[in-house]
Amino acid sequence: MSGRWARAMLSAYRFAGAAAYPLVGPYVAWRTSRGKEDRSRRRERYGVAGRPRPDGPVIWIHAASVGETLAVVPLVESILDYGVNIVLTTGTVTSAQVVDERLGDRIIHQYVPLDLKPAVSRFLDHWQPDLAIIAESEIWPMTILELGARRVPQVLVNGRLSDRSFTSWKKRANIAEALFENLAHVVAQSDVDGERFRSLGARPVTVSGNLKSDTSPPPVDERVLATLRRQIGARPTWAAISTHDGEEVVAAEVHATLHKRHHGLLTIVVPRHPDRAEALAAQIFGMGLKVARRSKGDRIAADTDILLGDTIGEMGLYLRLTEIAFVGRSLTSEGGQNPLEPAMLDTAVLAGRNVQNFREAYQRLLDSGGAKLVRDRDMLAGAVNFLLTNEVARHEMMAAGVATVDEMRGALARTLKSLEPYIQPLVVKSRLKGANGR
């Protein structure tokens, strides 16, 4: 299918809006984050560069939000060892903060341009990337077609297709094929994802495993950790992390059910979107529970019921304060969140049944005994109660989770092997330019 035909088929994208097509990223990200973006760098969304292009080959790597950014950091660091310039784009302010903390000035960070032709063309005209590496699950019609027209190799890494996205693409099989044939390589997370990409026309497809299993545990400020541990003392704890609407109330209700049975119980609630904290604190307070907000620096007193983790970048702190973690977007919402971070930090993992977006990770943890799925609030309360009461069973789950993550490692090496044919020519080009420049 020709690029002209694909453009004609996709022209409706400009008018119907990104919601009409599955996995379309930058436009949606901008529309849903207006008012939260970095206004001083807003022009980058329209492809206006905030930095000059460096000399030599440039690799463009994109990771949409915090989870994808954390997953690609080890990959970025490995590519930097080759001595090639990297422009790393993200779609959110929080992911930009992660880039700054983890990679600093070793790369050039830009906000990803909107998936509209003027913005994409402006971005590509300036940066002239020699290779584009896209993380996980964002497929942007205009960006893919523009890169294809410029004959820039495009590789999708850590690729996944959720049940919903795959179903949507299958209904638009012709459009999917016109897009996916522009990808030079797809490196999928799992065999299921790999087969889905192949059925949509992607070639070649390899399977690497999940890059998130090769990341380091989330960091922590040891002084802050020691302070909070002193405030908590010997109190029993459990956490509900990456929660979505409705799950915070469920966690508070579980606390109300269990606190008499487990004297001094402290429940740690970490909402996926901390900007909801004000309303959540009022809602939980209205249930007769005392809340300490991390963002306010509230002290955890003896009668504090809920520690509300309403900060960004401190998941490593919250997980080190407990040995039991319910992972959200799985009980009242669908898709799930990444269970590998709590598992690698010696935490028994609980979740609802709606974990389709992390199916393989959960299946591995369930098979090893490192995780347990719950049906509803009452079943969650029962599972937390069991783990608080049975130290041996809790520690067995914790150990199984750590072992499972260790077994899953290796995705980074397999991804780098798939990328080698595209990166090595740029390494040679960069070295030749350096030699000629001396």
Side-chain angles (χ1 to χ4, degrees):
M1 298 181 183
S2 69
R4 180 179 299 174
W5 181 89
R7 287 176 188 273
M9 288 292 292
L10 291 164
S11 62
Y13 161 69
R14 296 182 176 181
F15 304 102
Y21 294 91
L23 300 180
V24 176
Y27 184 75
V28 171
W30 177 75
R31 291 283 297 180
T32 56
S33 64
R34 283 184 299 175
K36 303 174 188 175
E37 73 271 13
D38 184 344
R39 293 186 178 276
S40 67
R41 297 174 58 183
R42 198 170 187 176
R43 284 162 57 84
E44 292 174 22
R45 296 289 197 185
Y46 300 93
V48 179
R51 301 268 296 276
R53 186 195 190 279
D55 293 333
V58 167
I59 296 176
W60 172 24
I61 300 178
H62 175 68
S65 58
V66 172
E68 292 85 357
T69 302
L70 290 171
V72 302
V73 165
L75 178 64
V76 171
E77 291 175 329
S78 297
I79 295 174
L80 285 172
D81 290 340
Y82 290 114
V84 180
N85 300 304
I86 293 178
V87 174
L88 177 59
T89 58
T90 65
T92 65
V93 174
T94 50
S95 55
Q97 292 170 349
V98 169
V99 171
D100 184 57
E101 292 167 2
R102 300 293 180 93
L103 297 167
D105 59 4
R106 289 182 290 164
I107 55 89
I108 297 172
H109 176 267
Q110 297 283 277
Y111 284 107
V112 69
L114 303 177
D115 194 39
L116 303 173
K117 190 178 188 309
V120 173
S121 296
R122 199 175 291 119
F123 178 90
L124 296 177
D125 286 345
H126 178 82
W127 294 110
Q128 300 177 38
D130 298 271
L131 170 66
I133 300 173
I134 313 301
E136 292 218 12
S137 58
E138 287 202 334
I139 304 300
W140 325 321
M142 195 53 60
T143 301
I144 286 178
L145 294 174
E146 287 300 308
L147 285 167
R150 297 170 189 239
R151 300 188 182 280
V152 178
Q154 306 172 62
V155 181
L156 181 67
V157 300
N158 216 37
R160 65 179 175 88
L161 282 171
S162 67
D163 297 345
R164 171 187 275 182
S165 296
F166 180 61
T167 300
S168 296
W169 278 122
K170 288 293 286 184
K171 293 176 181 177
R172 303 170 177 86
N174 290 336
I175 294 177
E177 184 177 352
L179 288 173
F180 285 119
E181 69 180 8
N182 285 275
L183 299 178
H185 200 124
V186 172
V187 187
Q189 286 187 22
S190 70
D191 291 332
V192 171
D193 293 308
E195 285 304 314
R196 288 177 172 182
F197 279 111
R198 289 188 190 97
S199 73
L200 293 173
R203 298 287 190 280
V205 177
T206 55
V207 177
S208 66
N210 193 335
L211 281 175
K212 291 175 180 176
S213 64
D214 279 0
T215 59
S216 300
V220 67
D221 184 322
E222 293 291 345
R223 291 179 297 178
V224 174
L225 177 61
T227 297
L228 294 190
R229 279 177 171 167
R230 282 196 300 270
Q231 293 177 11
I232 295 171
R235 298 174 62 180
T237 65
W238 76 285
I241 66 169
S242 300
T243 52
H244 286 241
D245 189 27
E247 291 173 331
E248 297 87 6
V249 171
V250 168
E253 290 173 343
V254 169
H255 177 91
T257 299
L258 298 180
H259 82 282
K260 291 182 180 179
R261 189 173 303 178
H262 299 279
H263 179 70
L265 179 65
L266 176 70
T267 295
I268 303 163
V269 177
V270 187
R272 175 69 172 171
H273 303 292
D275 57 328
R276 298 170 52 233
E278 196 74 39
L280 288 174
Q283 191 173 19
I284 295 171
F285 180 78
M287 298 170 64
L289 301 175
K290 183 173 180 180
V291 180
R293 291 181 60 180
R294 171 74 185 131
S295 66
K296 303 290 187 183
D298 295 341
R299 179 179 176 82
I300 302 172
D303 60 347
T304 298
D305 294 293
I306 307 289
L307 170 60
L308 187 58
D310 55 346
T311 55
I312 294 171
E314 290 194 312
M315 188 62 77
L317 170 66
Y318 302 124
L319 287 173
R320 286 175 173 88
L321 295 174
T322 189
E323 294 180 343
I324 305 167
F326 165 81
V327 183
R329 200 186 177 191
S330 60
L331 205 57
T332 63
S333 299
E334 292 189 0
Q337 297 286 171
N338 178 22
L340 298 178
E341 280 189 350
M344 69 177 63
L345 277 175
D346 280 326
T347 308
V349 174
L350 302 172
R353 295 181 172 183
N354 302 312
V355 293
Q356 302 92 325
N357 291 351
F358 296 88
R359 179 183 286 110
E360 186 183 22
Y362 272 104
Q363 192 59 61
R364 296 284 292 270
L365 287 168
L366 290 168
D367 289 345
S368 71
K372 179 180 176 60
L373 300 186
V374 298
R375 181 179 56 253
D376 52 26
R377 178 196 61 193
D378 292 341
M379 194 172 175
L380 175 60
V384 173
N385 177 62
F386 175 79
L387 291 172
L388 288 172
T389 305
N390 296 274
E391 183 177 358
V392 172
R394 183 172 74 248
H395 284 189
E396 286 177 350
M397 277 189 73
M398 292 158 57
V402 172
T404 301
V405 175
D406 287 342
E407 290 170 2
M408 291 176 66
R409 294 190 188 278
L412 176 59
R414 289 186 285 270
T415 300
L416 285 169
K417 184 176 181 180
S418 296
L419 287 171
E420 191 171 335
Y422 307 99
I423 294 177
Q424 280 302 324
L426 304 184
V427 173
V428 172
K429 182 178 177 181
S430 180
R431 289 173 179 171
L432 288 173
K433 182 174 181 61
N436 293 334
R438 286 198 293 269

